[in-house]
Amino acid sequence: NNNTGNNNKNSSNLASLDEQYASTKPSDFDHSPNNYLDSNWASSLLMDPGSDILYNFDLPHNNNTNNNTTTASTNSIIHNIQFQNNIHSGAIPSSSGRDFSVNRVGASFQAQSQSQTISSSASTPTTAVSKPTKQRRPCDNCRRRKTKCVLLPDTNNCVQCESKSLQCTYTSSAIKRKPTDIDDGPSKRKMDVKGANDITNPNLSLLQGDQSIIVAPNVPIRDVAPVQDYSVMNNSLLKKTLSLQFPRSSFYVGPTSYLYDINLLNLIIDSQNNANNSGDSPSRGPSPNSSSVGKIGQINLNSAISLRKVSDKAQFVLKDDQSPQSYQTMSNDVDTIEKFIAPHGQILIDLYFRIIHPSYPILHKKVFLEKYSRTHREFSAPLLAAVYVLAIQWWDYDPQLNKFPKPNVEMILKIGLNNYFLEILKRPKLSAVQAGLLLLQCKHIIQSKKLSNNNVGTGPNASVGPSAIGDTDYSEWVLCSQVVALAEELGLGLDCNNWKLPKWERGLRKRLAWAVYMEDKWLSLKHSRPTHINDLNWVVVQLLEEDFPEKHGDGDLKEGSSDIDNGKKIFINLIQLTMILSDIINQFYSMRAMLEITDVNQVLKLAKPLQLRLRTWYHSLPVELQMSSVQPRKLCSNGYLQLAYFATELTLHRKITTVIYQQTLAGTPPPKELISVCRTAAKTRLLASIEFVRDLKPEHIHSFWHSSSSSNFTLIGTFAAILFMSAPGKEEADFYRDQIYNYRWILKISSKGFDQVGEALAKLDLVLNHIPELLNDGVDMPMVVPNVPTVDYQRVNQQRQQGSGQPTTSYNPPQVPSQSQYSGQVPYNNGGVNSNPRMRAPAQQQYRLNSQHSAKGVGGLSPYTSPQNFTTPTYGQGG
């Protein structure tokens, strides 16, 4: 009864505040509300971690009131805050079918402003100026949310706590504040981590920010506790797993372990089994032969450490990995991420499995959906954040989503990355490897935001400055190294075919192992770092059809989906191509190879078998993986597979071209005939790569692209610049400069809505703008129109009608002018056409001319006339 009386009293107080506020005239404010809303006000108010605007925000007030005014113009601030928080007026259905009001943030802010205005007006005489008083300390809730703490009249609660039915508390320690008019910038903010000056891990810079300042939208989410023991559940795929147990992590026991020797562990398990069979079991917990464990050999060494034997030669130690503090931190983070997404989480997950998962199957769809159907709290924050962020790329494709504003991707990634580096790396699980791999696929999203904010690559003086680095930026090579370390902890590099594990977990381990392998090799190529995975310690068997649980029609029949069967083939063929790339890196770009292999004859001897493997790989591709194979109303991820092939080809020929160039500079050039053959082979591969990019269709562009794609797009331009730099004569240099212009134009017109291409163009211009005589002289010059005589087609038709006496319904255009009619063109000695630097010859015309000369045996060109149908010539046969 007392609570009911207090609630009625508070409700009457709020009602009286509403009546008083409704009688306030807009003219009574010192400034109009529009003065508070400049173009950057809302974003800086809600998104800047160091902003004190909302904390110190005071609406000017006056004691004069008028009952004849309305408050229609006072909602603009509230609406702006609602929009920035992704809150929409109306009701949002929850998972249980009930409707929740989602206008609470605006209502609380309005009530706060009302109470502040009325209380100030009531306590201040109209003729006197109020004396400044010491500001009351905000309550814990308002301090955490960075909001103004305003007490309700005749109560001990503030407006914010009252609206949430909370009690104001003052237990948290006070925070010393700097003056609001001093802004030292982000570079002056002190790190909370001890020894910040000694940090060498680039990713730890993410930990500088205070995670508590992130305020999620006030929307309802499912309040369901996660399952902690899957063994007691019926019809669950999560029984008897190795690397998904809660709250334990698994660590592979290697042959040189200082403590856990395999022979000793076998002795322990055998003795435990014998004791259990004799009826005297000294073990704690379920015995290996109990009905709850079945054939899985798992015993407890103590209350926190268990031993798991999955095969005769493979054992794991399982350790408890959760403390109450870490569990609470992870629960808070995953709830915050869900609030940024709610109520659209299920739709985004469906998008992920329709578009991304088919060609990048590192999750188990049924397991993921089983856990999500219960609660989002069964996932780690990084994994859930990465799935959401990747799916948001197709936000506008879904009719249920495109009517709402997109969630704050940068804030979601910041939460996921902080949690990953602080919590997940301590706990080796399959979900930790999955989260790391998906976060690496998000890198181009961060880069696109960084480039759009800093206009990188738009001119000769463009550069990536400190302002381009935000809280969500991270070193992908360091993150990849950590993912590889987690994979080694989990024993993913081993052959698990005969392990005592569920079949789906064995398939998932194999797919994850190869995904980590590919990420390590392609990032090694991108950043020119030594690969971490050695083939001597990587014995994972090749993937088979049975390792992929999804079948055709399992979610890929909707419009705009990716084909599951094609996705499997893309994943398997990319693994095989990556193995060839790994050999190229080891044989040509390792530190020892760079010192020892300095002669082009050595390079060609090693390159020939690799070139044959590449040709065999390409010609063994099924028809459905060719670029021309596009299904109606479906997205196609063949693009990143074919792009990876061209990048591998160019990486091989880059070594050949570079060695020839270095030998020429050293005064010992190879024979001219050998130089001509090698440069012709490099030229044909460059032209095929450029045409491949030019011919990309919307079905390719809007599909999923692997994280290596952006650097592979850049590599094509870099290879063209290398050929330009090493050209033996001016004519050839002009030709490659023209190809660079063509390629930049292709990237420029494709960059809108294609983040990987936009990033590639910006990175290219960052370097090419500083190469002498390349882009610094007329980058954006218009095309020179051919000197073609003007034809009056109306007059020609009239003459034809007069001559034949019959009406003519169509006409034949004049013949295309010959090459001599184009100004500035001269024949090119290798079979191409050397255009004036101001002339931009279409790539298709170049290929038509090349194929014509090749048919006549001119120049010894390779038949690289199309990226869809060509054969790779062997060395000694003209490239």
Side-chain angles (χ1 to χ4, degrees):
N1 293 333
N2 292 334
N3 293 335
T4 303
N6 291 334
N7 291 335
N8 293 336
K9 183 178 180 180
N10 294 334
S11 300
S12 62
N13 289 334
L14 288 174
S16 63
L17 291 176
D18 292 338
E19 294 175 1
Q20 296 178 50
Y21 188 80
S23 63
T24 305
K25 297 186 301 182
S27 60
D28 293 335
F29 292 93
D30 294 341
H31 304 280
S32 67
N34 293 332
N35 291 338
Y36 293 99
L37 297 176
D38 59 72
S39 59
N40 297 320
W41 185 83
S43 59
S44 63
L45 171 67
L46 293 169
M47 302 307 171
D48 184 8
S51 175
D52 292 330
I53 298 177
L54 188 57
Y55 181 82
N56 296 309
F57 186 75
D58 274 315
L59 287 175
H61 57 271
N62 197 307
N63 195 39
N64 298 329
T65 59
N66 191 324
N67 294 330
N68 298 326
T69 59
T70 61
T71 60
S73 63
T74 62
N75 292 327
S76 56
I77 297 177
I78 298 169
H79 291 165
N80 202 306
I81 292 179
Q82 290 174 334
F83 181 80
Q84 290 294 330
N85 282 274
N86 192 18
I87 297 176
H88 317 286
S89 58
I92 294 179
S94 69
S95 59
S96 60
R98 294 175 296 175
D99 290 340
F100 295 84
S101 173
V102 296
N103 207 15
R104 296 170 62 186
V105 171
S108 62
F109 187 86
Q110 183 177 7
Q112 170 187 335
S113 304
Q114 293 171 359
S115 61
Q116 180 184 354
T117 304
I118 302 304
S119 61
S120 301
S121 301
S123 61
T124 307
T126 57
T127 58
V129 179
S130 60
K131 295 182 179 180
T133 58
K134 184 177 180 180
Q135 188 176 20
R136 181 185 61 84
R137 176 185 173 184
C139 69
D140 296 338
N141 184 45
C142 292
R143 182 187 299 276
R144 184 172 60 255
R145 295 177 61 87
K146 298 279 187 179
T147 57
K148 187 73 174 181
C149 187
V150 180
L151 280 178
L152 284 170
D154 301 326
T155 66
N156 293 325
N157 260 17
C158 68
V159 175
Q160 291 285 351
C161 291
E162 191 66 29
S163 65
K164 299 176 178 61
S165 300
L166 300 175
Q167 185 70 29
C168 285
T169 58
Y170 302 88
T171 57
S172 63
S173 58
I175 302 175
K176 294 183 179 180
R177 293 186 173 276
K178 297 186 298 182
T180 57
D181 58 342
I182 298 177
D183 184 12
D184 294 331
S187 62
K188 298 295 184 181
R189 296 174 187 167
K190 296 182 179 180
M191 295 181 62
D192 296 331
V193 183
K194 185 177 180 180
N197 295 331
D198 298 329
I199 290 178
T200 58
N201 187 339
N203 287 333
L204 290 183
S205 62
L206 290 166
L207 310 182
Q208 298 181 29
D210 183 4
Q211 192 78 2
S212 63
I213 65 176
I214 298 178
V215 180
N218 190 10
V219 295
I221 59 175
R222 291 178 292 178
D223 189 9
V224 180
V227 176
Q228 299 186 4
D229 187 5
Y230 294 108
S231 63
V232 300
M233 299 182 62
N234 295 325
N235 301 322
S236 174
L237 291 172
L238 293 163
K239 290 183 177 182
K240 302 178 182 180
T241 61
L242 170 64
S243 303
L244 293 171
Q245 295 188 18
F246 181 89
R248 290 186 167 186
S249 297
S250 58
F251 300 82
Y252 169 68
V253 177
T256 61
S257 174
Y258 77 103
L259 176 61
Y260 300 109
D261 182 81
I262 294 180
N263 300 299
L264 296 178
L265 297 182
N266 280 328
L267 180 62
I268 294 173
I269 292 178
D270 292 341
S271 63
Q272 191 78 14
N273 290 334
N274 294 332
N276 182 70
N277 292 333
S278 63
D280 182 17
S281 176
S283 66
R284 303 179 63 180
S287 64
N289 297 327
S290 64
S291 59
S292 61
V293 177
K295 298 181 180 180
I296 299 176
Q298 180 170 326
I299 62 174
N300 293 338
L301 300 180
N302 60 24
S303 59
I305 301 178
S306 297
L307 178 64
R308 175 76 171 268
K309 181 177 180 180
V310 295
S311 72
D312 292 338
K313 298 182 180 180
Q315 298 179 1
F316 288 81
V317 171
L318 281 69
K319 302 179 182 178
D320 287 356
D321 59 11
Q322 289 283 1
S323 65
Q325 294 79 7
S326 64
Y327 179 78
Q328 187 62 43
T329 299
M330 297 177 69
S331 298
N332 292 341
D333 287 346
V334 76
D335 279 354
T336 303
I337 291 172
E338 187 68 15
K339 287 182 178 180
F340 274 104
I341 296 298
H344 310 301
Q346 185 63 60
I347 302 176
L348 288 175
I349 288 175
D350 291 341
L351 278 175
Y352 175 88
F353 282 107
R354 282 172 46 200
I355 298 175
I356 301 170
H357 178 73
S359 62
Y360 198 62
I362 65 169
L363 300 179
H364 193 284
K365 182 177 180 179
K366 291 184 179 179
V367 171
F368 193 97
L369 294 181
E370 175 195 327
K371 296 171 70 174
Y372 192 82
S373 65
R374 290 189 291 263
T375 174
H376 61 277
R377 291 171 179 166
E378 291 194 31
F379 300 98
S380 66
L383 178 58
L384 198 62
V387 169
Y388 282 153
V389 167
L390 287 172
I392 287 174
Q393 296 177 91
W394 289 270
W395 180 276
D396 296 330
Y397 281 66
D398 193 283
Q400 301 180 63
L401 296 178
N402 57 23
K403 64 183 69 173
F404 299 104
K406 290 183 181 180
N408 191 324
V409 170
E410 188 171 0
M411 199 66 70
I412 296 172
L413 273 178
K414 180 178 180 180
I415 299 171
L417 287 166
N418 278 335
N419 190 281
Y420 194 85
F421 297 127
L422 284 174
E423 301 293 339
I424 301 301
L425 289 177
K426 308 172 187 176
R427 302 169 179 85
K429 286 185 173 66
L430 296 183
S431 59
V433 178
Q434 292 167 336
L437 290 172
L438 292 182
L439 287 173
L440 287 169
Q441 308 306 313
C442 297
K443 183 67 174 179
H444 72 277
I445 301 176
I446 301 172
Q447 292 289 348
S448 64
K449 288 183 174 293
K450 185 167 65 175
L451 297 175
S452 62
N453 293 335
N454 294 274
N455 295 323
V456 179
T458 56
N461 299 323
S463 63
V464 180
S467 61
I469 301 176
D471 289 336
T472 53
D473 203 1
Y474 58 93
S475 169
E476 56 185 346
W477 178 245
V478 174
L479 176 56
C480 179
S481 305
Q482 293 165 332
V483 172
V484 172
L486 286 174
E488 292 170 342
E489 292 271 47
L490 294 167
L492 290 183
L494 305 176
D495 179 8
C496 64
N497 270 347
N498 299 320
W499 288 7
K500 296 177 182 179
L501 295 177
K503 181 179 179 180
W504 69 264
E505 186 179 0
R506 296 198 302 268
L508 178 60
R509 291 177 67 91
K510 291 168 65 176
R511 299 197 307 273
L512 272 178
W514 284 116
V516 172
Y517 179 89
M518 290 190 293
E519 205 68 40
D520 175 68
K521 301 303 180 181
W522 285 103
L523 283 178
S524 173
L525 172 68
K526 175 180 179 179
H527 296 287
S528 187
R529 296 290 183 266
T531 176
H532 292 292
I533 295 179
N534 191 323
D535 292 337
L536 297 176
N537 298 315
W538 203 260
V539 293
V540 187
V541 296
Q542 289 294 323
L543 292 175
L544 303 175
E545 177 69 23
E546 61 186 22
D547 296 319
F548 297 86
E550 289 82 18
K551 306 299 180 184
H552 178 71
D554 189 6
D556 64 340
L557 299 181
K558 291 184 179 180
E559 183 179 67
S561 301
S562 298
D563 187 82
I564 289 179
D565 290 337
N566 286 355
K568 298 175 187 178
K569 297 174 183 177
I570 291 173
F571 193 73
I572 293 176
N573 280 277
L574 184 60
I575 293 172
Q576 297 170 355
L577 179 64
T578 306
M579 297 174 70
I580 301 176
L581 174 69
S582 177
D583 290 341
I584 292 175
I585 294 175
N586 292 335
Q587 295 187 31
F588 293 123
Y589 295 98
S590 63
M591 298 304 171
R592 183 176 297 277
M594 295 294 289
L595 292 175
E596 296 178 352
I597 302 176
T598 58
D599 185 81
V600 68
N601 293 313
Q602 294 176 290
V603 175
L604 293 176
K605 183 178 180 181
L606 295 173
K608 185 173 182 177
L610 294 170
Q611 185 69 70
L612 292 175
R613 289 173 61 189
L614 278 172
R615 182 175 65 177
T616 302
W617 178 90
Y618 186 86
H619 288 292
S620 64
L621 286 179
V623 177
E624 52 269 23
L625 296 188
Q626 300 295 337
M627 294 302 293
S628 57
S629 178
V630 177
Q631 301 181 36
R633 298 185 300 278
K634 278 186 177 290
L635 297 178
C636 180
S637 294
N638 296 351
Y640 80 78
L641 176 67
Q642 298 272 351
L643 177 63
Y645 165 73
F646 285 112
T648 308
E649 283 272 12
L650 298 186
T651 299
L652 180 60
H653 286 269
R654 178 182 184 178
K655 180 65 177 180
I656 301 172
T657 304
T658 303
V659 169
I660 292 175
Y661 177 69
Q662 292 172 348
Q663 283 189 250
T664 303
L665 290 181
T668 57
K672 292 184 178 180
E673 295 77 8
L674 181 61
I675 295 177
S676 176
V677 169
C678 293
R679 290 191 64 85
T680 299
K683 171 189 172 183
T684 53
R685 284 158 179 80
L686 172 65
L687 295 179
S689 304
I690 294 176
E691 186 177 4
F692 159 79
V693 179
R694 192 202 61 181
D695 290 343
L696 288 175
K697 300 178 180 179
E699 290 86 350
H700 304 131
I701 293 175
H702 297 294
S703 64
F704 169 71
W705 289 79
H706 190 264
S707 59
S708 61
S709 300
S710 177
S711 58
N712 290 342
F713 280 120
T714 308
L715 181 59
I716 297 175
T718 302
F719 187 70
I722 292 174
L723 293 177
F724 167 81
M725 169 197 69
S726 59
K730 184 179 182 303
E731 292 182 354
E732 190 172 347
D734 289 344
F735 173 80
Y736 287 118
R737 177 168 55 182
D738 194 65
Q739 295 307 315
I740 293 173
Y741 286 154
N742 291 339
Y743 187 59
R744 286 184 67 254
W745 172 249
I746 293 170
L747 296 183
K748 184 178 294 185
I749 62 177
S750 303
S751 59
K752 186 66 174 179
F754 196 177
D755 293 340
Q756 290 87 346
V757 164
E759 180 186 350
L761 176 62
K763 294 294 180 64
L764 270 178
D765 283 356
L766 186 65
V767 175
L768 300 186
N769 277 322
H770 299 278
I771 297 179
E773 300 181 359
L774 185 56
L775 298 185
N776 52 0
D777 182 18
V779 179
D780 296 319
M781 286 186 178
M783 294 179 62
V784 176
V785 180
N787 186 16
V788 181
T790 303
V791 179
D792 189 347
Y793 294 111
Q794 184 177 4
R795 182 179 178 183
V796 171
N797 287 335
Q798 292 177 355
Q799 293 177 352
R800 288 179 178 176
Q801 293 177 6
Q802 293 174 1
S804 62
Q806 297 179 356
T808 304
T809 58
S810 62
Y811 63 89
N812 296 322
Q815 296 293 327
V816 177
S818 62
Q819 294 183 16
S820 60
Q821 293 178 274
Y822 288 94
S823 60
Q825 288 188 348
V826 294
Y828 182 62
N829 55 4
N830 276 344
V833 175
N834 176 41
S835 303
N836 185 285
R838 298 174 181 268
M839 179 66 189
R840 309 290 182 262
Q844 186 63 39
Q845 178 186 358
Q846 292 288 350
Y847 282 109
R848 184 165 56 250
L849 293 173
N850 287 342
S851 60
Q852 292 173 358
H853 285 281
S854 180
K856 298 176 181 178
V858 179
L861 283 179
S862 170
Y864 265 67
T865 57
S866 172
Q868 284 80 40
N869 51 359
F870 62 81
T871 57
T872 305
T874 59
Y875 293 101
Q877 294 181 352

